[in-house]
Amino acid sequence: MTGLDSLPVAVIGAGPVGLAAAAHLLERGLEPLVLEAGPTVGAAIREWGHIRLFSTWQYNLDAAAVRLLERNGWEAPRPTALPYGNQIVAEYLEPLAATPELKDRIRTRSRVTAVTREGMDKGRSLGRENAPFVLRIQDPQGDVVEVLARAVIDASGTWSTPAPLGSSGLPVAGEALARAAGLVTGPLPDVERDGFAGCRTLVIGSGHSAANMVLDLARLARTRPETEVLWAIRAASPDRAYGGGDADKFPARGQLGTRLRTAVETGSVQLLTSFRTEHVELTGGSSLRLHAQDGRALNVDRVISATGFRPDLGILSELRLDLDPAVDAPRALGPLIDPDFHSCGTVPPHGVKVLAQPEKDFYLAGMKSYGRAPTFLLATGYEQVRSIAAALAGDTAAAHAVELQLPETGVCSTAIPGSGDETAESSCDIPECAPISLGLPTGLRHGRAAESART
Ligand SMILES: Cc1cc2nc3c(=O)[nH]c(=O)nc-3n(C[C@H](O)[C@H](O)[C@H](O)COP(=O)(O)OP(=O)(O)OC[C@H]3O[C@@H](n4cnc5c(N)ncnc54)[C@H](O)[C@@H]3O)c2cc1C
């Protein structure tokens, strides 16, 4: 069997968190190998490059990545500016990937299709911890190759696995056909470029992606008045989608919700609450009829499905994972981010203690570590990979140290949306019921953690 120390640490995904992981590993004297499915780094962000981030540059940069860039003569963007996704790629990720230290350690067009341990399926225990990881990869020629690694950081995001329209978690009848016809699109099309002008479009979902799309369409309707915007949400009230407004510590995120509220209240957007899609019917070649479970039916030209994302756990099926049953995040992290119980938009800074898996030296990081939960922030991911790199280098003290403060959304609630009990009981700042057993700092309170503490 290969000596583990001679092997690289494999990082799946060259998004901002994967590249930050590589920078931290290098600082720790460890050898990173970044495997990226797309043709370039930041491939997922490129697909929503026309969207402006709500966090300013200072929150979007990783400290180790910046140190590496500055050693190579990079000039940082203005810290208080709000970049578009495309700028994150062009002004940060591409220069980072082009540094002499990283450029030969990143393989693009290399999709990881499976991860396992050499000679060990999931059921085999003896000697497991000393067996190298094997990553099966589809290389640029389409061939299947394998690489060995001493550890794996899966930072492959969730962009390529969006959730379906059905509120049961399954695609509704007719959805596949409508998607194939291009009438139901993914969450973040460029509405000007992709031909939404003059269309009657329904946006389904209540997160930031849906908000961005509703507002983009409303703006389009100002120059092309025949454009109609409908917005359907599952909850009985849009209050949660409107966010924390002025109380949000990221002003741009707060304004997104405020502008959304204004668009609805001024009639630029037609809101449909308690809407659960039941099936989709193609009417003629270029329009749709959507049927809701309560009997409502809508005729529209296009649907933007912004119902969230899921992690692709299929590639990890031979590894021993311990995930939260509701959100598919590492078990200790799940209760802190589950949107049904916790809406602060911030999570206590966390690292290896919370992310550790039964599979030694395997970590989920970045957007993928949040599983199905929506409120991930880059700054959270950067702290995760700083801690993971420290742990892999054997620096337990640094791995367990907490080095981050995150801005809150200003809408802290334990109410379950759609339950009828949406009285926004403020919780996130109440220092009780801290899930001390998780090894997290005190000052945390959370619906599920609080419940289990009471029982
Ligand atoms: C529209 C939008 C706006 C956002 N705005 C903000 C914001 O303002 N502030 C903020 O902090 N966060 C924001 N986020 C959330 C989050 O920070 C981003 O989603 C960020 O891109 C997550 O980084 P990541 O590196 O974890 O994943 P990604 O950026 O998704 O990168 C994952 C990479 O892995 C690759 N990959 C996927 N599968 C495989 C595989 N099997 N093998 C190899 N490679 C693979 C992908 O091609 C991709 O390049 C926003 C998200 C969205 C969608």
Side-chain angles (χ1 to χ4, degrees), residues 126-166:
L126 206 61
R128 187 172 188 89
E129 294 195 349
N130 298 317
F133 288 94
V134 179
L135 292 99
R136 188 164 283 185
I137 297 158
Q138 207 164 13
D139 79 1
Q141 287 71 44
D143 295 329
V144 174
V145 294
E146 289 185 347
V147 299
L148 298 182
R150 58 181 287 179
V152 177
I153 302 172
D154 183 352
S156 61
T158 54
W159 175 258
S160 53
T161 39
L165 283 179

Side-chain angles (χ1 to χ4, degrees), residues 84-138:
Y84 284 89
N86 279 332
Q87 289 176 282
I88 293 281
V89 179
E91 296 173 32
Y92 172 46
L93 300 183
E94 283 179 343
L96 181 60
T99 56
E101 291 87 342
L102 275 186
K103 75 176 167 39
D104 295 328
R105 294 175 163 115
I106 300 170
R107 292 193 203 166
T108 53
R109 299 183 198 276
S110 297
R111 175 175 294 280
V112 175
T113 57
V115 187
T116 187
R117 293 267 194 184
E118 190 176 44
M120 307 261 163
D121 65 17
K122 190 177 188 165
R124 199 170 153 85
S125 300
L126 206 61
R128 187 172 188 89
E129 294 195 349
N130 298 317
F133 288 94
V134 179
L135 292 99
R136 188 164 283 185
I137 297 158
Q138 207 164 13

Side-chain angles (χ1 to χ4, degrees), residues 13 15-17 35-37 43-44 53-55 112 155-156 188 366-367 377-378:
V17 178
L35 301 160
E36 165 57 46
L53 277 81
F54 53 75
S55 55
V112 175
S156 61
L188 289 161
M367 187 75 213
L377 291 176
L378 285 167

Side-chain angles (χ1 to χ4, degrees), residues 361-409:
D361 294 338
F362 172 83
Y363 295 99
L364 292 164
M367 187 75 213
K368 189 164 182 175
S369 72
Y370 268 41
R372 296 174 177 223
T375 47
F376 176 76
L377 291 176
L378 285 167
T380 306
Y382 297 153
E383 176 62 3
Q384 291 177 336
V385 294
R386 182 203 61 76
S387 170
I388 293 168
L392 291 173
D395 185 348
T396 311
H400 290 177
V402 163
E403 296 184 1
L404 180 68
Q405 292 227 328
L406 288 169
E408 291 193 353
T409 59

Side-chain angles (χ1 to χ4, degrees), residues 236-255:
S237 152
D239 285 350
R240 187 140 144 193
Y242 293 155
D246 292 343
D248 194 318
K249 300 288 188 326
F250 279 133
R253 185 171 59 185
Q255 281 158 21

